Amino acid sequence: MEAHAHFKQQILDACRTLVDKGYLMATGGNVSVRITGQPAPQNAFAITPSNYDYLKMLPDDVCILSLDLEPIEGERKPSVEAGMHAGVYQTRPDVMAVVHTHQVYASALALMNAPIPALFDEQVRFLGRAVEIIPYAPSGTGMLRNTIVKHIKNHHNAYIIQNHGVLCFGHDMERAIHNVEILEKCSLAYLLALCSERKVSKIPLAVREIAFAKLRKDQKKVEKGEISTGGE
Ligand SMILES: [Zn+2]
């Protein structure tokens, strides 16, 4: 169906960018975008197929699913984490794109069970007050989906999943990819700072709250349809 071509292409372009930048490796991770606009259904999303080489992917390999995980379009089996993505869209009306990666530096913090406190203005402005650790649950399970749904209600846009990887959100795909990049930069800087064994300084609390308020303001605009979300 032509109505979904734009969203399938967004998935392909995002995967290419994330592979080129080294955030997606082999077949690890998955990417989705909420289907918006008319005549496309509002309660659906496009997602990468399960266990398939990102660089071989063609538009028809992208799966279109309802938020109840009913297949709408696509021959391939959707990502095993489709339930996790659907849970995000159902819980967070401000989220229009979700990127899940196994990126290396943030994954190191996932192993250390170390959340990232408010270290940089830009981090809080786009990712939230802190990058929290979502407790481990096996990949592709309802348990992981439920744990994630419970944790993302604090309106942050980046989380680290313990012993697994990361989850980044955006009001469009471009923002979700930028958030992946900001998270990896913060993770590397934080790891290096921790290695020094010196006290790691944070931004002042008042600045943190001002930066987070700006993020919340943007999210509320998306919820009201006042910000373009990359749909057609
Ligand atoms: Zn994963």
Side-chain angles (χ1 to χ4, degrees), residues 71-127:
I72 295 175
E73 213 178 300
E75 295 297 312
R76 293 196 180 274
K77 192 171 165 287
S79 162
V80 293
E81 301 293 10
M84 169 177 93
H85 289 250
V88 174
Y89 293 123
Q90 282 169 327
T91 311
R92 290 276 303 268
D94 61 294
V95 173
M96 298 295 156
V98 176
V99 177
H100 164 59
T101 78
H102 300 163
Q103 60 196 62
V104 177
Y105 295 121
S107 293
L109 294 171
L111 301 181
M112 295 159 65
N113 204 7
I116 309 175
L119 302 177
F120 303 101
D121 298 357
E122 181 195 42
Q123 172 204 347
V124 178
R125 172 71 180 82
F126 295 108
L127 306 187

Side-chain angles (χ1 to χ4, degrees), residues 204-223:
L205 211 58
V207 174
R208 185 190 80 173
E209 290 310 305
I210 291 166
F212 184 61
K214 285 181 185 166
L215 175 61
R216 285 294 292 132
K217 202 171 160 194
D218 284 352
Q219 291 174 344
K220 284 174 188 161
K221 278 187 193 165
V222 175
E223 288 171 21

Side-chain angles (χ1 to χ4, degrees), residues 175-192:
R175 189 69 252 170
I177 292 172
H178 284 168
N179 288 346
V180 163
E181 297 184 283
I182 294 171
L183 174 57
E184 195 68 338
K185 175 250 168 181
C186 292
S187 299
L188 176 55
Y190 190 42
L191 282 165
L192 291 172

